[in-house]
Amino acid sequence: MSAPSHRPSVLFVCVHNAGRSQMAAAFLAHLAGDRVAVRSAGSTPADTVNPAVVEAMKEVGIDISAETPKVLTADAVRASDVVITMGCGDTCPVFPGKRYLDWQLDDPAGQGVDAVRPIRDEIERRIRELVNELAA
């Protein structure tokens, strides 16, 4: 029997931490369970999670209504193995030794649930790939 390996930590970052990064974090927590530590944050967090995003996630059985946008800190980046940015550009701090991925995704801010669904589905597809990769 092998010793338990290091649990990978993933941080999702977008500008407002109210849409894309919240959906990504929720999908990863849902699909990977406690095998992965999951965080999300925003460079300029909104006051609340986008209601259309909450609704779109509810449609796939994931409730994020209790989530709140969090401010991005250097400590959160330092504590993460993989940092996935979603349109925060140069505002994301970069530390050596971290793996960075930049996911180009439409911003759901100000969009209705119909516009959020394809973004949600693309995020889920990418998260499923990431889960397989992290498990390998």
Side-chain angles (χ1 to χ4, degrees):
M1 202 147 140
S2 63
S5 61
H6 167 73
R7 186 170 77 139
S9 172
V10 179
L11 171 66
F12 296 99
V13 183
C14 66
V15 178
H16 301 298
N17 189 219
R20 296 165 289 189
S21 55
Q22 290 283 353
M23 289 190 281
F27 273 125
L28 184 55
H30 180 74
L31 295 168
D34 59 5
R35 293 173 301 173
V36 178
V38 182
R39 297 179 184 81
S40 73
S43 50
T44 313
D47 294 328
T48 59
V49 174
N50 179 335
V53 166
V54 172
E55 184 61 33
M57 291 302 285
K58 215 173 261 175
E59 291 176 354
V60 294
I62 300 174
D63 182 7
I64 62 169
S65 60
E67 294 298 326
T68 54
K70 292 167 266 328
V71 69
L72 176 64
T73 64
D75 287 344
V77 177
R78 241 184 247 112
S80 301
D81 299 309
V82 181
V83 179
I84 299 176
T85 57
M86 303 169 170
C88 68
D90 299 334
T91 59
C92 296
V94 174
F95 291 97
K98 304 291 172 199
R99 178 168 169 219
Y100 288 89
L101 299 173
D102 186 43
W103 289 358
Q104 298 295 322
L105 296 158
D106 291 336
D107 188 347
Q111 306 282 334
V113 74
D114 288 341
V116 173
R117 284 186 193 108
I119 302 167
R120 173 201 66 201
D121 295 345
E122 175 60 16
I123 289 172
E124 181 181 14
R125 186 189 68 74
R126 292 180 188 206
I127 293 297
R128 288 184 182 282
E129 283 179 7
L130 181 68
V131 167
N132 291 337
E133 210 177 280
L134 291 171

